[in-house]
Amino acid sequence: MKNSTSKIAILAMAPCALWASPAAAAGTAAWRCGNTYSDQPCPEGKPLALDDARDATQKRDADRTTREALAAGDRLERERLRQEKAQAGRHPTLIDSRPAAPKPEADSAKKKKKGKKEPDYFSAHDPVATAKKKAEKAEKAGRRSADKS
């Protein structure tokens, strides 16, 4: 039984081997057709030499570097997935940078007087000097009213 199975396998693989050799030979050639490259000849195309001029040591070094890069990529992907899984339970934090709304003052002293408008500018003054000026003004007004009578 084993003998017949191996014969069938050999017979099935023989045509594949015959078809594979021309395909392999054709797959190694490349042509430059203007600004494009093709694996099939084209009118006015130039065949390109694709032989690998590196020695065995250079090929091994390149393969090692490729394997290291793939391993680093896999390691970084696992790390990213681990971090995403750890962050899945956390919710985003809302940071509100708007200033808090001012609370209404209950003091009547802070309320604006009816009809009096706040000036658009700030002026510093001495309260003692202001009181003296008011007293002098009242005194003058008292004298004037006494003079008129």
Side-chain angles (χ1 to χ4, degrees):
M1 185 80 177
K2 267 188 170 179
N3 238 353
S4 63
T5 307
S6 61
K7 286 181 184 178
I8 293 172
I10 291 173
L11 289 175
M13 286 191 293
C16 293
L18 292 174
W19 293 327
S21 62
T28 59
W31 282 267
R32 181 174 180 178
C33 305
N35 291 336
T36 61
Y37 296 91
S38 175
D39 60 346
Q40 297 180 4
C42 56
E44 298 180 19
K46 297 177 184 177
L48 299 174
L50 300 178
D51 58 339
D52 194 356
R54 299 178 297 172
D55 63 358
T57 308
Q58 291 172 328
K59 287 180 186 179
R60 275 195 308 272
D61 289 343
D63 290 343
R64 181 182 47 80
T65 305
T66 302
R67 281 192 303 275
E68 288 173 358
L70 289 173
D74 290 341
R75 186 176 59 253
L76 289 171
E77 181 183 17
R78 285 191 305 271
E79 177 68 19
R80 178 186 56 84
L81 292 173
R82 186 189 62 75
Q83 288 177 351
E84 287 176 358
K85 187 177 179 182
Q87 292 290 330
R90 296 182 183 168
H91 298 289
T93 303
L94 176 65
I95 299 174
D96 189 10
S97 62
R98 291 179 292 173
K103 296 180 182 176
E105 296 283 334
D107 294 337
S108 60
K110 297 264 183 176
K111 290 185 181 179
K112 292 182 182 178
K113 293 182 181 176
K114 202 172 199 181
K116 188 167 184 181
K117 184 180 166 190
E118 288 281 330
D120 292 337
Y121 57 89
F122 172 78
S123 177
H125 64 279
D126 183 12
V128 175
T130 305
K132 285 181 183 178
K133 282 184 182 180
K134 283 185 181 179
E136 289 174 3
K137 206 179 214 183
E139 200 175 299
K140 284 182 184 178
R143 281 188 221 154
R144 283 185 196 156
S145 61
D147 288 340
K148 287 183 182 178
S149 323

